[in-house]
Amino acid sequence: MKITDAKVFVGGPGKPYVTLKIMTDQGIYGLGDATLKSRETVTATYLENYLIPNLIGKDPRNTEDIWQFFYRGAYNRGGPIAMAAIGGIDMALWDIKAKLADLPLYQLFGGKSREGALVYGHATGSDLEDLMDSIAYYVDEGYKAVRVQCGIPGMPTASYGVSEKKGDFKNFITDFSGIHPKVEIWDTDRYMRYMPDALARIRERFGPDLKILHDVHHRLLPREAAEFAKAVEPVNLFWLEDPTPAEDQNALKLMRQHSTVPIAIGEVFNSIWDCNKLIENELIDFIRVAVTYAGGITHVKRIVDLAGLHHVRTGFHGAPSHSPLCMAAHAHLNAWAPNFGIQEYLVLGTSECDALFPSAHRMQNGMVYVSDAPGLGVDFDEKEAARYSYKPGSHPVVRLEDGTLWNY
């Protein structure tokens, strides 16, 4: 069996996905997601000019050797562009392999460990009252876990993950359109004074059973992160996400010394070498890698297995930048992983997205149930894809009130 061709498609309904389709001489094709948010055409060009020419003629069943060829065979290894491109290839090859076996992908990992996988939605509010309404909406929709983000009184602009428009809290997604990034203004003191009490009031309103998550999004210094974590211990958070930038991994030691709040980190990690010490030293409780960004299924399975040895559970990244293909890969890993924790889930489901990526995977009452269709269980309609073109976008940037650039 040989790979005969591969195509890259850039575009989607409101989101410029990078979709890879790998064809074989037996008529079986595989699909992968190589989207690198706000840098989509870079990944596409890397695939088309460098990786795909080296795929042609290879046996798609040799996923391990192909992964090693593109990772270890490169003089300059790793990084987000290369790993997203490798991730797309690897995902498509596993799709082919499972289709050959006529099995859903999770069966190739060892079968199911659970029937449904717990997911969390994104509740947001321009103020606390607005946030409470948003949480209530998700609870009414059947969610058992909700990430909560709130506007901070006196903050010059909306903080991370928060709409400035009151009432805009149903499946709110930050606007990344345009090549020039929007600027958010951040004030740590206001955040530290306000947010612990806001989280306590949320817990009081919704009771002990709702799983509450909160994302600091790298905004605090290590000492501040330790103080904040200690202050919110009574809330019994399911996790505190990205309390401080993960480049300084020693910062997590300080947090561990001062608080027992579970810590979730890793959505910008590209490899096992970004997180192996955090896992081995048990400085985190949830690993947040994504199959696309972290080099595909082959590599992410290694991370999951390492995490399982150290009491670290999965909490895969599930932002809108991941297409239904990446989310399907997560769904199969979630069905299998013995150390599964939770899955981030933002509703992708517009009719346009469903038409582009038809699938029988489903979400019901806060749980995702994986399809038993062979492979990833997601198809791709090229005629639908022709409707979309690439539109550039950028992540916002963050500045302090005096203009200093801060951590996004």
Side-chain angles (χ1 to χ4, degrees):
M1 187 178 194
K2 302 294 181 186
I3 295 170
T4 57
D5 196 10
K7 296 179 181 178
V8 181
F9 303 83
V10 182
K15 312 172 191 75
Y17 300 130
V18 179
T19 303
L20 176 66
K21 184 176 183 178
I22 296 177
M23 283 72 78
T24 69
D25 59 2
Q26 293 189 17
I28 295 174
Y29 60 87
L31 299 168
D33 176 23
T35 308
L36 182 63
K37 191 170 185 63
S38 302
R39 298 294 183 267
E40 294 87 0
T41 54
V42 180
T43 311
T45 299
Y46 188 60
L47 279 165
E48 291 171 335
N49 291 353
Y50 298 98
L51 302 192
I52 288 174
N54 283 290
L55 265 181
I56 307 305
K58 291 187 182 294
D59 187 331
R61 296 169 293 189
N62 294 333
T63 49
E64 184 64 48
D65 183 70
I66 291 172
W67 194 93
Q68 297 291 343
F69 178 86
F70 286 125
Y71 182 85
R72 189 173 292 186
Y75 183 74
N76 295 299
R77 297 181 182 180
I81 295 167
M83 294 303 271
I86 294 171
I89 290 172
D90 188 72
M91 198 183 303
L93 298 182
W94 277 93
D95 190 27
I96 291 170
K97 187 181 294 195
K99 287 175 178 174
L100 276 171
D102 196 29
L103 291 171
L105 187 57
Y106 66 79
Q107 292 288 10
L108 274 61
F109 304 154
K112 285 184 179 179
S113 296
R114 60 197 52 81
E115 288 303 313
L118 180 70
V119 302
Y120 69 89
H122 284 197
T124 179
S126 59
D127 55 29
L128 186 55
E129 178 186 5
D130 209 24
L131 175 57
M132 294 289 195
D133 290 342
S134 181
I135 297 168
Y137 163 77
Y138 280 98
V139 170
D140 289 345
E141 289 290 305
Y143 283 81
K144 302 171 182 66
V146 183
R147 192 194 78 170
V148 299
Q149 306 297 127
C150 185
I152 308 299
M155 198 86 83
T157 66
S159 53
Y160 168 74
V162 175
S163 172
E164 294 183 347
K165 183 181 177 183
K166 193 173 179 63
D168 187 17
F169 57 67
K170 296 180 180 179
N171 302 320
F172 169 74
I173 296 172
T174 303
D175 182 7
F176 296 110
S177 62
I179 194 62
H180 300 292
K182 295 178 173 61
V183 178
E184 296 177 2
I185 304 300
W186 176 256
D187 187 310
T188 297
D189 290 341
R190 286 193 175 100
Y191 173 82
M192 296 276 285
R193 288 195 300 267
Y194 184 76
M195 203 64 210
D197 181 63
L199 290 169
R201 290 170 65 184
I202 291 167
R203 174 59 74 202
E204 181 180 6
R205 162 85 180 270
F206 290 96
D209 293 332
L210 181 67
K211 293 173 173 59
I212 298 172
L213 302 80
H214 178 62
D215 188 357
V216 184
H217 224 256
H218 317 112
R219 303 295 167 87
L220 301 180
L221 299 176
R223 186 209 58 76
E224 295 165 343
E227 178 185 338
F228 185 83
K230 188 174 182 179
V232 301
E233 272 188 4
V235 177
N236 191 28
L237 291 177
F238 185 82
W239 80 31
L240 185 65
E241 183 179 345
D242 290 334
T244 189
E247 291 95 335
D248 178 11
Q249 298 190 2
N250 285 327
L252 279 300
K253 293 181 181 178
L254 181 64
M255 290 193 65
R256 280 294 200 228
Q257 292 167 1
H258 290 275
S259 176
T260 59
V261 169
I263 298 169
I265 282 180
E267 67 184 62
V268 297
F269 290 165
N270 306 130
S271 78
I272 198 169
W273 295 282
D274 290 333
C275 57
N276 62 326
K277 297 305 178 187
L278 290 176
I279 292 170
E280 290 167 0
N281 293 323
E282 300 179 8
L283 297 177
I284 59 175
D285 301 276
F286 296 88
I287 181 64
R288 293 269 295 135
V289 292
V291 169
T292 296
Y293 295 168
I297 291 165
T298 295
H299 196 60
V300 168
K301 276 189 89 275
R302 289 197 175 93
I303 296 174
V304 174
D305 284 333
L306 176 64
L309 297 176
H310 295 280
H311 322 292
V312 175
R313 292 186 284 170
T314 63
F316 295 135
H317 192 217
S321 52
H322 304 305
S323 86
L325 292 168
C326 182
M327 295 303 291
H330 289 160
H332 284 280
L333 287 165
N334 292 336
W336 154 75
N339 54 324
F340 168 75
I342 200 168
Q343 172 65 57
E344 182 177 18
Y345 186 87
L346 273 79
V347 177
L348 303 171
T350 62
S351 57
E352 293 85 0
C353 195
D354 293 341
L356 183 59
F357 296 102
S359 166
H361 301 306
R362 63 188 175 89
M363 198 279 281
Q364 183 178 354
N365 292 327
M367 308 282 283
V368 162
Y369 298 89
V370 67
S371 163
D372 280 334
L376 284 168
V378 180
D379 209 346
F380 178 68
D381 190 322
E382 292 188 40
K383 290 183 180 179
E384 281 290 317
R387 297 174 52 197
Y388 304 105
S389 58
Y390 173 69
K391 295 181 180 179
S394 288
H395 271 281
V397 297
V398 176
R399 293 185 182 275
L400 303 182
E401 289 192 78
D402 67 0
T404 304
L405 198 69
W406 203 239
N407 303 307
Y408 182 78

